[in-house]
Amino acid sequence: MAGARRTPVHVKAASLLPEDVPRRIRVLLPLPLAGAYDYRVPEGLAVPPPGSFVEVPLGGREVAGVVWDGEADPTLPASRLKPLLRVFDCPAMTAPLRRLVDWIASYTLSPPGAVLRMTMSAPSALEPAAPTAGWRRADPPPPAARISPARARVLALVADGAPHAGGLLAEAAGVGPGVVRGMASAGLLEPALLPPDARFARPDPAHQGSVLTEGQADAARALRAAVAEHGFSVTLLAGVTGSGKTEVYLEAVAEALRAGRQALVLLPEIALSTQWLDRFSARFGCAPALWHSELTPRTRRDTWRAVAEGAAPVVVGARSALFLPFPDLGTIIVDEEHETSFKQEEGVVYSARDMAVVRARLTRAAAVLVSATPSLETLTNAEAGRYRLLHLPLRHGAAGLPQVSAIDLRTCPPERGRFLSPALVEAVNATIARGEQAMLFLNRRGYAPLTLCRACGHRMRCPNCTAWLVEHRLQRRLQCHHCGHAEPIPPACPACGAEGTLAAVGPGVERVQEEAAEVFPDARRIVMASDTIAGPAAASEAARRIVDREVDLIIGTQIVAKGWNFPDLTLVGVVDADLGLAGGDLRAAERTVQLLHQVSGRAGRADAPGHVLLQTWNPEHPVMQALIGGDLDAFMRAEADQRRPGHWPPFGRLAALIVSSEDEAAADRAARDLGRAAPQGDGFEVLGPAPAPLALLRGRHRRRLLLKARRDIAVQPILHEWLARVPVSNQVRVQVDVDPVGFL
Ligand code: ADP
Ligand code: ZN
């Protein structure tokens, strides 16, 4: 193996150094190794500059990596160095992206190669694309060909004489692929090679979008100015649901395009964001490039390459899009910035929202954080003047904010075995009778969260996790929502053998749907949960049916909470408003307010006023009071007052260590060793070890420790020193989570 990077050594007199030192390079590989490795550049190859994508040998394999910054170790004998094999024909990784990799690695205590791997997410894109075949107009056209209306539409599109991709051509002309093939055999079209980036259209900033209201126009102007500064800034774009935040931040995208730079929009549920994509197209005349985990390998490859070449000017994507190789990013927008799904919990544990701000700083771009319910972190940064603040106070058009009230389940309980209170049933009936639409929201998939034997009390648990199995009645299975374990619903209790005694306890959306079918037999219903609405096609079909009024009642989990615009939806009923408060972690109240406010925001987006009914056992709870009174600012101020004295985030720092092992005793031992060796000092303390709430996850036993520090203390050096002092057996994994969001 090539020499691993060592800690700096005393440089010997230059004359003693091997002659080939100028021809040595450091290469970072997308592997969880300690750092960059040194290689030599063989005669006949130019020394590639930092950022070049190169291929090098590693343990008998050939691996692609990136030439990293810094000097190779001059003291290593040349004979120990393996040769660089080749340099890829691919745009180099920019310096700001290399600095981002280093920054995230040191902030999250991850191996730099593990972070690099997130940037090299389409390895085949390092090779230039083989040209693909398309079609162009045959010139001259064959004299006798029949020109149907469908063919005429295709001919109009190819009138420019340029090659077009067959699929796009058919789509744009609204014809089947057979029409294009038929035209080719008739000699109307001839094959032609496409330029490699032809599939990424250029969004047109001059295309006519909505006419902004005065308040929107002011905010848009401020965002355009931030982008035009060509420097680092962060702006919080806050404003009630439906106030036009999307319309406004698209103007930041337009400004980046006008300056010839690129734009990135991060959305939490990209696969379901069909309405968002329609609005983008309405504003810019074509679709943006997409980036998420469901892309085909081919599209992934082409998109990565087009981004690197600057040929994809706008990307909208999930958090992983943050690591695409944009050469010149003008703005990064994080929509629904408060969403916890921006936190990646596996592998490199990072917050895409926070790292978007870091990337913007390194690349001198304007970051825009957008939310109707900003996180306390972001609000605090805005209040401290670190972030600029733009606020849209009004809903667009005639729509006012919905009126929120509580249904007190203590005085108005549902019938036994039911989950919809009489008051909620009546409100849904009245809404549907007026010809409007209603939504029932319950943030829980499946039929029932717990299955219990009425004879012996046995509860059906996941064999791999500390979790109940959730019944999915449609699929006739019990599922673990943590590890994916699934088993058929057993005919008899596995503990006592009694038959017909297994009972469903508590509701999931499937059970609400079952109840709705009985209570509202004439209502046309749709269930929207991640297992029924699995991808973009299903999402857009569901949205179409709702907007076209083929549906009266929507029953859904958190996927219905965000972004949707259903003009005739006027009632939202929250089946269990207390659900999110149960876990009781640091942000449970904040998150519940955010989620319920988001889902409330689906009601009354057009002219008819909206109503929201919260079924709760505790209407006096500050969360319910904040939603009912509509004063989220006061709620967030109270939240801040609670966290400030104890130095809880954002007024202090947290880092979690999650110790896990398949061997329970080994996990305990390592957690105890870490606990005993916990660092001590002024301004920080270590809590734990304690069993994690998910004490068993995917077959691994888990223990947690928490480092809690004042805000002015950097936790990374403390963690480094601590972890270096405590050897753990190789059966044990210690995962570091800086700025934890989840505490399971
Ligand atoms: P937010 O992102 O704040 O929830 P949106 O940008 O989604 O708000 O706007 C809500 C609705 O109002 C959308 O249907 C949008 O098309 C419409 N809308 C907002 N501003 C305008 C405008 N200036 N002209 C026309 N429609 C608008
Ligand atoms: Zn499980």
Side-chain angles (χ1 to χ4, degrees), residues 1 298 306 320 366 372 430 447 526 564 569 601 609 624-625 663 702 726 738:
M1 188 184 285
R298 173 69 203 275
S320 57
Y447 185 83
I526 186 172
W564 303 102
L569 176 69
M624 304 309 146
Q625 288 300 317
D663 177 350
R702 301 165 77 248
V726 185
V738 177

Side-chain angles (χ1 to χ4, degrees), residues 440-445 507-509 512 556-558 573 575-576 579:
L440 294 174
F441 172 76
L442 177 64
N443 195 13
R444 197 189 270 138
R445 289 187 291 131
V509 273
V512 173
T557 61
Q558 45 91 19
V575 176
D576 183 355
L579 183 61

Side-chain angles (χ1 to χ4, degrees), residues 210-212 216 240 242-247 279 396 565 605:
S210 304
V211 178
L212 300 184
Q216 292 172 339
V240 299
S243 56
K245 297 185 293 299
T246 314
E247 303 286 336
R279 289 174 59 188
H396 177 70
N565 204 9
R605 288 173 76 91

Side-chain angles (χ1 to χ4, degrees), residues 139-150:
D139 195 17
R146 188 179 55 84
I147 310 288
S148 65

